[in-house]
Amino acid sequence: MTAYPQLANPLQVLCVVPIGVYLLLLPSRATMSRWKDMKKDELERQFSPSQWSHRMSADDVIKAHVTALKEGTERARGLAQTLLNVPYGEGEGEKLDVYVPTTTSLDVPLVIYLHGGYWQFLRPMFLLPSKDESGFMAVPLVHKGIVVVAVGYDIAPKGNMDVMVSQVRRSVVSVIQQYSHISGLYLCGHSAGAHLAAMILSTDWSQYNVTPQIRGAFLVSGIYDLLPILSTYVNEPLKMTEEVALRNSPSQLVPQLKLSSSNCDIVVAMAQTDSPEFRKQSEDYYKALESTGGLKVTLEDVPNTDHFNIIEQLVDGDYHLTQLLLKMMGKS
């Protein structure tokens, strides 16, 4: 390799180095934005979604988010037949809310929804999303003959990451055992819920004595590599070690996903105003899935959305992601 002299003016490099080589010598954008190089306060800001909304203040966007999901869920309960707090396990938090359309059709797809909220109870003044506010997407779907199941799981500090991942996997097993007549199984998760949905796709089902045929998955503004949040406030109630973070990072489990979910149509969606590191999580996970070959995966960069209304708008039948989901199911 040719050694070039150190020059005081970087522009002088062009005199001795071909332009293509010079561009290769520049630090890449990915390298410059690596989370490991960030100070703690900047890293925490990157993983604080409410700090990045352009619509309202950080506190107000969280309150508005929970209100929107709650109102949407109340609408759904007025439109669908509901089965609330259906147990999928013995734990207090291991419950499902089921939104059933009024239909005689045998072609009944089912969507499992996994809520966000950073896997935890963050602050006493805010009621973060839970199963009880997670029926909103049933509003446009029940009219199309689609069942929606909202999953509850034990958030921290009661639950830890291993427990939550185990719970949502068992919830899928329970759903397919209770609703074996469905024509297709789909997943949708937001933020922490997108991480859990990706972990479901990456499950070795041999230990469950069942192999769910998951046809499609919407992973919306998720986190797929847990290492960057280990040193942030997010991990304080979770208390993850590096070992726990690695075994629960979907980015580390792509080979298993390919084995378990090779026929799944995967949509990785990110909000236009998600933080750079949140967007990078989606971009990197999409690239990791795409590079394996043989997987059907698309990246959706949804315009005019932030981390919160990107999922809130699934209450609207004309919303872009709702239309993609309906098209995936053959219900558009």
Side-chain angles (χ1 to χ4, degrees):
M1 183 175 181
T2 305
Y4 295 101
Q6 292 185 347
L7 302 174
N9 184 351
L11 293 177
Q12 289 179 293
V13 177
L14 297 180
C15 299
V16 293
V17 184
I19 184 65
V21 176
Y22 173 65
L23 292 174
L24 288 174
L25 294 175
L26 290 173
S28 68
R29 182 180 177 184
T31 301
M32 293 172 69
S33 66
R34 285 294 297 166
W35 60 269
K36 289 183 179 179
D37 298 328
M38 293 181 185
K39 294 181 179 179
K40 184 177 180 180
D41 59 346
E42 174 57 22
L43 187 60
E44 293 202 336
R45 194 174 79 91
Q46 287 288 328
F47 287 99
S48 299
S50 61
Q51 299 287 332
W52 298 85
S53 174
H54 295 174
R55 294 182 294 133
M56 56 191 81
S57 70
D59 286 354
D60 287 345
V61 78
I62 295 175
K63 293 176 184 176
H65 178 58
V66 176
T67 298
L69 300 188
K70 186 175 182 179
E71 290 176 350
T73 297
E74 289 172 353
R75 285 179 59 193
R77 292 182 180 180
L79 295 169
Q81 303 176 65
T82 56
L83 302 169
L84 304 181
N85 296 312
V86 178
Y88 67 83
E90 297 180 0
E92 182 182 352
E94 296 177 351
K95 302 288 194 299
L96 309 170
D97 286 350
V98 186
Y99 298 79
V100 183
T102 304
T103 179
T104 57
S105 172
L106 296 178
D107 179 21
V108 182
L110 185 148
V111 183
I112 293 175
Y113 178 74
L114 299 147
H115 66 81
Y118 258 156
W119 311 276
Q120 64 195 266
F121 181 75
L122 278 178
R123 288 182 285 177
M125 67 282 287
F126 292 126
L127 175 65
L128 291 173
S130 70
K131 169 186 68 67
D132 298 336
E133 295 81 38
S134 295
F136 60 95
M137 68 183 299
V139 172
L141 299 188
V142 291
H143 289 305
K144 298 286 188 176
I146 299 165
V147 179
V148 175
V149 176
V151 176
Y153 52 91
D154 287 324
I155 59 174
K158 182 177 181 179
N160 59 44
M161 190 60 70
D162 287 328
V163 167
M164 286 181 270
V165 169
S166 173
Q167 286 178 323
V168 298
R169 286 169 169 168
R170 287 188 288 108
S171 77
V172 172
V173 173
S174 178
V175 165
I176 62 174
Q177 289 174 341
Q178 294 184 57
Y179 304 98
S180 58
H181 60 284
I182 61 174
S183 63
L185 178 63
Y186 301 82
L187 303 178
C188 180
H190 172 238
S191 195
H195 159 266
L196 293 172
M199 290 299 291
I200 291 171
L201 295 178
S202 309
T203 304
D204 177 1
W205 294 109
S206 62
Q207 60 185 303
Y208 294 89
N209 299 315
V210 66
T211 305
Q213 299 301 314
I214 301 172
R215 293 192 180 183
F218 274 66
L219 310 178
V220 183
S221 288
I223 291 184
Y224 311 103
D225 177 5
L226 301 183
L227 291 180
I229 65 172
L230 284 182
S231 63
T232 71
Y233 72 94
V234 179
N235 194 38
E236 289 174 7
L238 293 168
K239 296 180 171 55
M240 287 189 294
T241 64
E242 183 173 331
E243 180 184 3
V244 171
L246 284 170
R247 69 169 171 257
N248 288 294
S249 287
S251 61
Q252 300 290 321
L253 302 173
V254 172
Q256 181 62 53
L257 181 146
K258 188 173 182 181
L259 287 173
S260 303
S261 306
S262 60
N263 295 321
C264 183
D265 189 348
I266 302 171
V267 174
V268 179
M270 59 186 181
Q272 180 179 349
T273 62
D274 264 331
S275 74
E277 284 300 313
F278 251 98
R279 287 174 60 85
K280 190 172 186 299
Q281 288 265 340
S282 290
E283 291 167 346
D284 288 353
Y285 189 54
Y286 163 73
K287 291 173 184 175
L289 295 177
E290 185 187 42
S291 67
T292 65
L295 292 174
K296 186 176 181 182
V297 55
T298 56
L299 180 67
E300 293 288 332
D301 188 353
V302 186
N304 303 315
T305 58
D306 59 31
H307 188 81
F308 302 95
N309 64 8
I310 188 175
I311 198 72
E312 293 166 13
Q313 293 181 74
L314 280 175
V315 75
D316 180 2
D318 294 326
Y319 176 47
H320 176 61
L321 292 185
T322 308
Q323 287 294 309
L324 282 181
L325 180 58
L326 291 171
K327 183 178 180 181
M328 184 186 289
M329 297 178 178
K331 294 285 188 176
S332 58

